[in-house]
Amino acid sequence: MRAAMQQVGSVLLEQLLNSDHGGHGGQRIACGGGHQAEFVDYRAKHLQTILGEVEVRRAYYHCAQCREGGGRGVIPKDQELDVVGTSFSPGMRRLMARVGAQEPFDAARQDLAELAGVVVPTKAVERVSEAVGAAAEAANQAERRVLLAGEVVPIAEAARLYVAMDGTGVPAVPRETEGRAGKAADGKAKTREAKLGCVFTQTSFDAEGWPIRDPASTSYVGAIETVEDFGPRICAEAARRGLHRARTVIVLGDGAPWIWNLAEAYFPGAIHIVDLYHAREHLAAVGRLAFGSTSEAGKTWVATRRDELDDGDVEAVIAAIRTLSSSDLKVQDELRKEADYFETNKLRMCYKYFRARGFFVGSGVVEAGCKTVIGQRLKQSGMRWSVTGANAVIALRCRLLSQRWEDLWRPAA
Ligand SMILES: [Zn+2]
């Protein structure tokens, strides 16, 4: 039944697509590069659509002056149909990229066949997903220029805007990790770090005064890229979400210095909060280092420090760590680093103050984001990514999970 309907559909579609003059616009047309292209003949193209394969007849022009005199073909009909350099219709590409963003390319191929009756090779799903991901990133960059230039006033107005950032490893092919130090046994990197940022807003509290994240207010941006490149990315997203109209801006992160450097550079005046659970993990680590992992004295020590932390007394925590010592020089060094961690971040750990104001003190949203945006699709067993491939899929997933998929398919204004 489905096959028969698709066949009828594709016949009608083929007639429709060929009902004009194949994009013929006279003997000569502008080539787009400032020259004139000459009509040559009509050429057929087989286009794969959701309704099946159709043949489209297109006027073919040639510009002799393009590509430094080497010549270039110009096909207005392909531009009109948005199929330049591809044999997949836009609807088909949308479907392939959506499925490719959500599951491994071969599983995507199987689902396309099963659910949509669309039969394509796995490699085509991969290529189209990458191309659409690259287009999504190009759209991000264009949007960023406008946002950072302050030319757009966001519609949303939030009392509190949260920006949370984190990094997560993506398994990479060997050529992408060459010469990079890593945590593997041989000291070589097996992964590349993807940076993920999420922005959400908060306007209300529950009956006990705990903050409630605004429903459907979380959006994501991310890529495998340097801190310098990630800064404008997260800043543009925050701007899009109402950064300049928010009364309070809060940056949440673990202790990673790059997060706080970006916060200083891009969100001046923001409140910095180190994720409470990371701070607690550090306390637990100190307990293990100084007392061993099963010691009762160690447990008591950690519990006391946790209370101090909750009570906003970071100075007491730092002082307590500094009094610990070990004859093992390595352990001693670790203890000093832990004390420094609390020292460096002490203003970001005023949990009593933060709680009294009803701020979120956990970065669970971005950690969950690392799992859903990156982990679920890019960190499955046996996967090895190129940076280009990974970034394309991350761009698609950020769009999907930020409820911005539709934006990608609106005709350009
Ligand atoms: Zn030309």
Side-chain angles (χ1 to χ4, degrees):
M1 183 62 191
R2 184 170 66 194
M5 282 188 57
Q6 278 188 331
Q7 210 174 1
V8 173
S10 70
V11 170
L12 290 173
L13 179 64
E14 191 169 81
Q15 284 174 3
L16 183 70
L17 290 176
N18 289 304
S19 63
D20 64 358
H21 301 287
H24 189 275
Q27 193 57 33
R28 278 188 201 87
I29 57 164
C31 77
H35 326 118
Q36 290 285 301
E38 189 94 19
F39 174 69
V40 180
D41 55 7
Y42 286 96
R43 293 186 181 177
K45 176 166 179 156
H46 291 265
L47 210 54
Q48 298 221 49
T49 77
I50 293 167
L51 296 172
E53 190 172 296
V54 296
E55 191 181 295
V56 186
R57 198 165 153 268
R58 310 110 76 229
Y60 179 90
Y61 291 79
H62 187 261
C63 173
Q65 286 161 277
C66 263
R67 303 243 161 90
E68 288 159 31
R72 181 175 72 97
V74 178
I75 307 167
K77 180 98 187 175
D78 282 5
Q79 292 164 8
E80 182 197 318
L81 296 177
D82 186 15
V83 291
V84 176
T86 175
S87 61
F88 294 106
S89 72
M92 190 72 173
R93 300 203 301 274
R94 175 174 177 158
L95 203 60
M96 290 163 85
R98 187 177 175 101
V99 187
Q102 308 211 65
E103 50 184 359
F105 298 121
D106 195 55
R109 174 192 63 79
Q110 292 174 43
D111 277 348
L112 284 168
E114 190 72 22
L115 302 172
V118 162
V119 178
V120 290
T122 302
K123 199 71 197 165
V125 181
E126 182 176 345
R127 286 211 185 103
V128 167
S129 298
E130 279 203 14
V132 175
E137 176 60 9
N140 292 344
Q141 301 276 349
E143 185 181 61
R144 178 190 301 183
R145 281 190 290 276
V146 176
L147 284 165
L148 295 184
E151 287 165 18
V152 162
V153 180
I155 310 152
E157 183 167 3
R160 287 177 179 179
L161 184 113
Y162 288 80
V163 178
M165 296 178 251
D166 202 0
T168 184
V170 173
V173 295
R175 72 179 153 81
E176 300 284 17
T177 56
E178 242 174 53
R180 288 167 179 268
K183 292 171 194 160
D186 59 4
K188 286 179 187 153
K190 300 277 188 286
T191 62
R192 291 287 300 268
E193 188 191 59
K195 294 179 175 65
L196 188 75
C198 76
V199 178
F200 61 95
T201 58
Q202 179 232 323
T203 32
S204 58
F205 303 88
D206 69 11
E208 287 165 39
W210 296 95
I212 301 171
R213 183 152 47 112
D214 291 339
S217 79
T218 311
S219 60
Y220 304 94
V221 293
I224 299 175
E225 64 189 348
T226 61
V227 175
E228 290 70 26
D229 289 334
F230 184 73
R233 183 184 299 279
I234 185 66
C235 185
E237 181 62 7
R240 188 180 74 80
R241 298 297 311 282
L243 173 69
H244 303 297
R245 300 177 75 184
R247 250 168 281 150
T248 312
V249 178
I250 295 134
V251 178
L252 281 163
D254 55 24
W258 67 266
I259 292 172
W260 306 115
N261 292 340
L262 286 187
E264 294 286 351
Y266 288 96
F267 306 108
I271 292 163
H272 296 188
I273 302 180
V274 162
D275 173 53
L276 172 65
Y277 306 95
H278 273 90
R280 286 184 179 168
E281 272 169 31
H282 279 265
L283 285 182
V286 174
R288 282 193 300 274
L289 279 167
F291 300 91
S293 49
T294 55
S295 145
E296 279 303 316
K299 279 179 196 156
T300 309
W301 186 92
V302 171
T304 311
R305 301 293 87 76
R306 270 177 71 145
D307 289 346
E308 287 166 353
L309 202 58
D310 286 346
D311 210 31
D313 197 352
V314 194
E315 292 294 353
V317 173
I318 298 165
I321 301 173
R322 298 247 189 249
T323 62
L324 298 172
S325 63
S326 169
S327 51
D328 185 329
L329 284 180
K330 251 175 130 175
V331 171
Q332 184 63 42
D333 193 49
E334 289 297 315
L335 287 171
R336 187 188 48 75
K337 279 185 193 153
E338 291 293 354
D340 291 347
Y341 171 82
F342 284 93
E343 186 79 54
T344 307
N345 291 302
K346 65 184 176 189
L347 291 176
R348 304 179 181 122
M349 294 183 178
C350 307
Y351 297 115
K352 193 180 182 183
Y353 171 90
F354 299 148
R355 280 229 182 89
R357 274 147 195 83
F359 296 148
F360 280 106
V361 295
S363 59
V365 175
V366 70
E367 277 149 43
C370 282
K371 290 200 184 82
T372 50
V373 178
I374 315 271
Q376 279 173 13
R377 175 66 183 87
L378 290 103
K379 292 165 88 160
Q380 294 189 29
S381 80
M383 285 183 173
R384 291 279 176 274
W385 295 86
S386 69
V387 170
T388 308
N391 278 346
V393 170
I394 293 170
L396 292 177
R397 290 182 68 74
C398 284
R399 286 277 174 168
L400 272 175
L401 292 158
S402 306
Q403 282 80 47
R404 299 198 71 205
W405 180 254
E406 202 59 41
D407 292 3
L408 270 184
W409 307 93
R410 278 193 201 126

